[in-house]
Amino acid sequence: MQGSAVTHLSVRVPWQDTRWDGRVCLDPMNNQSCVVLRAIAANRDDSAENHLRGQWIADLGENEKPACYKERGSFLSDREITLNVRLDYAEWSDAHKHIQRTAVRVPAYGATLVPFRWMLRENAYDIAKELGIEVSPEREPTSAFSRPDGLGPESRQPAALARRVCVRRALRMRRRARSACVAGRCGGPASRTG
């Protein structure tokens, strides 16, 4: 193998109003940019996060942690965290049900990375050739498998759907903020001017 396996690295992180220092957002109800990420949009619990705002994610129980912690929401934290992860396929694919949860230690100032390019079948043979890894189409599965919700590897959620979810949440948050300002509770210009 010649050269470096990595020539460029981009890491997608959700927006976090505590500068990714390892705490739950101080104002999670108004952080709508993070829900663009599908895993956060599907698993975020606004009222629970609001109750835990500002607390250290590393100190929370497994079921209390916000959805962003698995999406690198604390990559600038000076505290180590542990992610308990299980391959998504294990939830719905008979071929993967044997895979158990695994504790992944993420050191301070660290992040887990997902090599999206490496995960796409159309790139596999080129990557293997670049890295000198032996692969054979004969050893690859030939039957496609599908998730019960229709979002298997052959069908990715369109970006337009994620944007619609984000826009709906942003509009809901704007309505709440306007109602609070009209009632004089926002502390912004609207409550001072009348």
Side-chain angles (χ1 to χ4, degrees):
M1 177 170 83
Q2 292 181 345
S4 174
V6 176
T7 57
H8 175 75
L9 178 65
S10 295
V11 179
R12 178 183 72 186
V13 297
W15 176 251
Q16 227 275 343
D17 70 7
T18 61
R19 300 180 181 180
W20 304 276
D21 69 357
R23 291 181 292 148
V24 177
C25 278
L26 297 175
D27 190 7
M29 299 290 284
N30 285 316
N31 181 358
Q32 296 306 308
S33 59
C34 66
V35 296
V36 171
L37 301 178
R38 183 173 71 184
I40 294 176
N43 297 301
R44 187 168 132 171
D45 182 343
D46 288 342
S47 60
E49 285 189 33
N50 199 47
H51 177 70
L52 298 169
R53 60 182 164 191
Q55 293 188 37
W56 293 103
I57 294 172
D59 295 342
L60 298 175
E62 187 64 30
N63 293 328
E64 294 178 299
K65 293 179 179 172
C68 69
Y69 96 102
K70 289 185 179 179
E71 293 287 338
R72 294 155 303 281
S74 62
F75 80 104
L76 291 177
S77 176
D78 62 356
R79 296 175 175 217
E80 176 181 298
I81 64 167
T82 300
L83 301 174
N84 290 304
V85 297
R86 185 175 186 210
L87 183 67
D88 287 343
Y89 292 173
E91 301 295 330
W92 47 263
S93 167
D94 288 337
H96 298 89
K97 284 199 182 293
H98 66 283
I99 298 173
Q100 300 298 309
R101 287 201 170 279
T102 302
V104 176
R105 185 184 73 76
V106 181
Y109 305 103
T112 57
L113 306 177
V114 178
F116 289 104
R117 179 175 168 255
W118 287 45
M119 294 171 62
L120 298 175
R121 185 180 296 260
E122 63 262 20
N123 297 330
Y125 296 103
D126 291 338
I127 291 170
K129 184 177 178 183
E130 288 171 18
L131 299 176
I133 299 171
E134 179 189 342
V135 294
S136 170
E138 294 78 37
R139 294 190 307 220
E140 293 296 314
T142 55
S143 61
F145 55 95
S146 297
R147 286 173 48 153
D149 60 6
L151 293 175
E154 69 287 341
S155 170
R156 302 205 183 276
Q157 178 187 28
L161 178 57
R163 281 192 299 274
R164 283 195 302 271
V165 169
C166 182
V167 167
R168 270 192 230 122
R169 289 186 88 146
L171 290 173
R172 189 170 60 238
M173 299 314 319
R174 185 183 300 164
R175 282 193 298 273
R176 285 184 197 157
R178 280 188 186 149
S179 295
C181 283
V182 168
R185 295 188 312 262
C186 71
S191 65
R192 287 192 290 267
T193 59

